[in-house]
Amino acid sequence: MRQITDTLLMIRPVAFRMNEQTAVNNYYQKVMDGLLPSTVNAKAQQEFDAFVEKLRAAGINVVVVDDTVDPDTPDSIFPNNWVSFHENGDVALYPMFAENRRSERREDILDLLEDQGFNIENIVDYTSAEEDGIFLEGTGSIVLDRANHKAYCALSPRADEELLIEYCEDFELSPVIFEAFQTVDGERRHIYHTNVMMCIGDTFAVICADCIDDKKERKMVLENLREDGKEIILLTEQQLNHFAGNMLQVQGANGKSYLVMSESARQVLTKDQVSKIEKHTEILSSSLDTIEACGGGSARCMMAEVFLLKK
């Protein structure tokens, strides 16, 4: 199984703004005072287009789909929460916490990938769990080590343990389950998505171990990474506030790989962290300030990896 892919699905926003329905437990979102919604969206589109251009210049295949004005989906720029694409031809559809995010799931996007020659064998649909108030938000909630058949998941209101275990059984993965926290107004609160605090590359892992308050759980997570031969690069909680954990390794042209992140994440990495990462892969960063502030998500959230094989 490949850990990294050269193909990404990305959704270009048409009405991007701060989503009031996700702000209840995404503490990274900020209100941008004094900016008209149209200005926020225009800025997000500029950031999106520049980001896609950089990815394509590195030889990464980016399938861009335009969002639609109706229904209202302010977070559509983060498709990795509703869908994941797997090498065996499976496509998983996930139950989403915010009601207005559920409309992001679009069948026409799957049709488009098939039209481009990708082979979809089977759709594994978990979305009925929404009716019971149970959620598991894709590769936001689950950080996959595809090569070692493991699924890392920090439990939160958006990541249900029982559903994760069912998912792992369906996809033949071993669950690595823990809780991760951040300090908000002096209190420890659950981090809403696992991919905010960790990223797994082919030969390394970037993680904020300090978020895992339970020492046994922390040890267990780090041991899992070490036993799979990953070099562990540690982040601080302060760096997470600049989305340093929200990274994804992808395959570019000529066998080169890249660790993709936002410019704000790149700026807060220390020289030591950068040199450790660069032993394994090249860094590719792009400015995503508006998307990060309003959306509370960053580079990783914007990229849904396509592992489907071509027919």
Side-chain angles (χ1 to χ4, degrees):
M1 295 282 277
R2 294 174 292 151
Q3 177 59 14
I4 60 174
T5 181
D6 62 357
T7 303
L8 303 169
L9 167 73
M10 294 178 67
I11 309 293
R12 189 175 191 270
V14 293
F16 176 78
R17 63 167 198 278
M18 176 167 162
N19 185 354
E20 56 292 337
Q21 291 188 19
T22 55
V24 293
N25 54 24
N26 178 345
Y27 307 111
Y28 295 97
Q29 284 174 252
K30 298 178 186 75
V31 177
M32 296 185 83
D33 289 326
L35 284 187
L36 291 169
S38 57
T39 309
V40 170
N41 185 63
K43 281 175 174 281
Q45 285 180 333
Q46 283 168 354
E47 291 173 1
F48 179 93
D49 293 341
F51 186 24
V52 169
E53 207 171 296
K54 283 189 177 179
L55 292 166
R56 286 178 170 160
I60 297 152
N61 175 26
V62 186
V63 179
V64 174
V65 178
D66 283 312
D67 190 18
T68 53
V69 177
D70 190 44
D72 175 35
T73 50
D75 276 335
S76 61
I77 199 167
F78 304 132
N80 81 311
N81 298 141
W82 68 263
V83 68
S84 64
F85 305 99
H86 302 263
E87 224 169 304
N88 63 354
D90 282 352
V91 173
L93 301 178
Y94 297 92
M96 311 273 277
F97 172 81
E99 279 184 42
N100 66 1
R101 293 210 61 192
R102 298 170 194 174
S103 309
E104 292 173 31
R105 297 188 292 253
R106 286 168 51 188
E107 216 169 288
D108 64 310
I109 291 175
L110 306 187
D111 295 340
L112 176 88
L113 287 170
E114 286 196 299
D115 291 344
Q116 293 202 5
F118 291 100
N119 187 37
I120 295 176
E121 290 284 336
N122 186 30
I123 293 176
V124 190
D125 189 344
Y126 299 98
T127 59
S128 63
E130 286 167 351
E131 294 159 26
D132 301 315
I134 289 170
F135 313 107
L136 187 65
E137 295 193 332
T139 54
S141 296
I142 310 159
V143 173
L144 291 171
D145 185 341
R146 294 174 191 253
N148 294 295
H149 308 284
K150 286 181 184 175
Y152 290 77
C153 182
L155 301 179
S156 78
R158 306 199 198 183
D160 179 80
E161 184 167 10
E162 282 180 30
L163 188 55
L164 173 80
I165 289 165
E166 182 187 328
Y167 170 86
C168 287
E169 284 170 0
D170 292 343
F171 282 89
E172 297 179 355
L173 298 162
S174 301
V176 182
I177 300 169
F178 56 98
E179 287 182 285
F181 299 88
Q182 66 188 122
T183 300
V184 182
D185 301 328
E187 279 180 45
R188 294 298 273 169
R189 302 215 180 151
H190 282 104
I191 284 181
Y192 78 109
H193 277 160
T194 315
N195 76 1
V196 172
M197 52 76 65
M198 74 181 292
C199 145
I200 297 178
D202 52 1
T203 52
F204 65 95
V206 183
I207 182 170
C208 179
D210 291 348
C211 293
I212 308 172
D213 291 356
D214 184 294
K215 284 185 181 143
K216 277 189 189 154
E217 287 187 354
R218 187 186 315 153
K219 187 169 177 240
M220 177 269 298
V221 170
L222 294 174
E223 277 175 358
N224 266 281
L225 294 167
R226 281 197 195 98
E227 73 189 23
D228 295 324
K230 307 286 184 200
E231 180 182 359
I232 294 170
I233 299 159
L234 293 172
L235 298 170
T236 66
E237 203 175 311
Q238 185 53 39
Q239 288 175 315
L240 293 197
N241 294 329
H242 301 273
F243 294 98
N246 198 240
M247 306 164 163
L248 180 69
Q249 191 186 18
V250 293
Q251 189 70 46
N254 307 320
K256 234 183 183 185
S257 74
Y258 297 87
L259 186 61
V260 181
M261 64 188 75
S262 69
E263 188 53 35
S264 61
R266 169 74 184 80
Q267 291 296 332
V268 295
L269 294 178
T270 64
K271 280 188 180 144
D272 182 50
Q273 288 167 327
V274 168
S275 68
K276 281 179 177 168
I277 289 166
E278 286 179 339
K279 279 194 304 191
H280 299 273
T281 190
E282 204 169 302
I283 291 174
L284 187 158
S285 63
S286 198
S287 173
L288 302 171
D289 293 353
T290 308
I291 291 165
E292 288 177 330
C294 290
S298 186
R300 166 67 188 104
C301 308
M302 294 168 67
M303 301 177 284
E305 302 149 279
V306 181
F307 281 89
L308 302 169
L309 301 174
K310 289 272 180 129
K311 287 170 192 161

